[in-house]
């Protein structure tokens, strides 16, 4: 099943994670196993054509998904993720990861199979990148 790694990143932290996850996923599953997209470059309909969705978004404001690009994108795919395998990742600067728990619950409520979640505080350090590789291997 082909995967789409779809992310948004404002400071570059979630983008670093996305690129690491994408590379590790392809190394494990083959060069044609995944494609990488910034959230603004793929439509919800096109995203739903993929068998596995690996979604990345940083925590914003009071621990919510980024509201300009990613929240509208996710709201567009949310009705279509029932039965799909979804993995979620992102970075945050403060708080305790509530945005990820809320996002995971939204996915489960929509009927998705949440395979994995991963959060990183601030800029990914080498040990965080190892977690990204492990995350990709578990999907």
């Amino acid at each position: 099943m082909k995967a789409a790694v779809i992310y948004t990143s404002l400071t570059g932290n979630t983008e670093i994670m996305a690129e690491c996850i994408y590379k590790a996923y392809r190394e494990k599953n083959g060069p044609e196993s995944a494609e990488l997209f910034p959230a603004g470059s793929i439509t919800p309909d096109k995203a739903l054509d993929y068998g596995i969705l690996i979604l990345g978004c940083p925590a914003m404001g009071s621990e919510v998904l980024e509201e300009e690009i990613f929240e509208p994108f996710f709201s567009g795919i949310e009705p279509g993720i029932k039965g799909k395998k979804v993995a979620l990742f992102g970075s945050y600067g403060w708080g305790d990861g509530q945005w990820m728990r809320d996002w995971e619950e939204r996915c489960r409520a929509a009927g998705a199979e949440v395979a994995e979640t991963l959060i990183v505080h601030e800029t990914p350090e080498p040990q965080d990148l190892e977690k990204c590789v492990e995350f990709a291997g578990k999907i």
Side-chain angles (χ1 to χ4, degrees):
M1 227 182 287
K2 195 162 189 175
V5 180
I6 305 167
Y7 71 94
T8 195
S9 186
L10 300 178
T11 63
N13 296 338
T14 303
E15 182 175 20
I16 291 168
M17 294 175 70
E19 290 172 352
C20 182
I21 290 165
Y22 169 70
K23 180 180 175 189
Y25 189 89
R26 286 171 39 119
E27 284 176 3
K28 181 181 181 215
N29 298 292
E32 301 299 318
S33 63
E35 292 187 69
L36 180 67
F37 302 95
S41 71
I42 184 170
T43 65
D45 286 343
K46 178 69 175 159
L48 290 171
D49 287 342
Y50 289 83
I52 300 170
L53 297 173
I54 305 169
L55 307 174
C57 183
M60 302 299 295
S62 59
E63 288 207 76
V64 296
L65 297 175
E66 187 276 326
E67 297 170 310
E68 296 284 318
I69 297 169
F70 202 85
E71 177 60 46
F73 169 79
F74 184 73
S75 292
I77 66 169
E78 197 168 5
I81 61 174
K82 183 176 184 174
K84 283 206 178 279
K85 184 179 278 191
V86 175
L88 309 173
F89 68 94
S91 60
Y92 68 104
W94 63 276
D96 69 351
Q98 185 62 46
W99 106 100
M100 184 59 72
R101 291 188 295 276
D102 293 343
W103 191 14
E104 183 177 357
E105 179 55 35
R106 277 179 74 181
C107 288
R108 290 188 195 285
E113 175 195 336
V114 179
E116 285 294 314
T117 64
L118 176 65
I119 60 174
V120 169
H121 185 254
E122 301 288 354
T123 303
E125 300 292 332
Q127 68 271 17
D128 298 318
L129 296 177
E130 283 299 317
K131 290 177 185 175
C132 288
V133 171
E134 292 170 14
F135 170 86
K138 292 177 182 178
I139 300 169

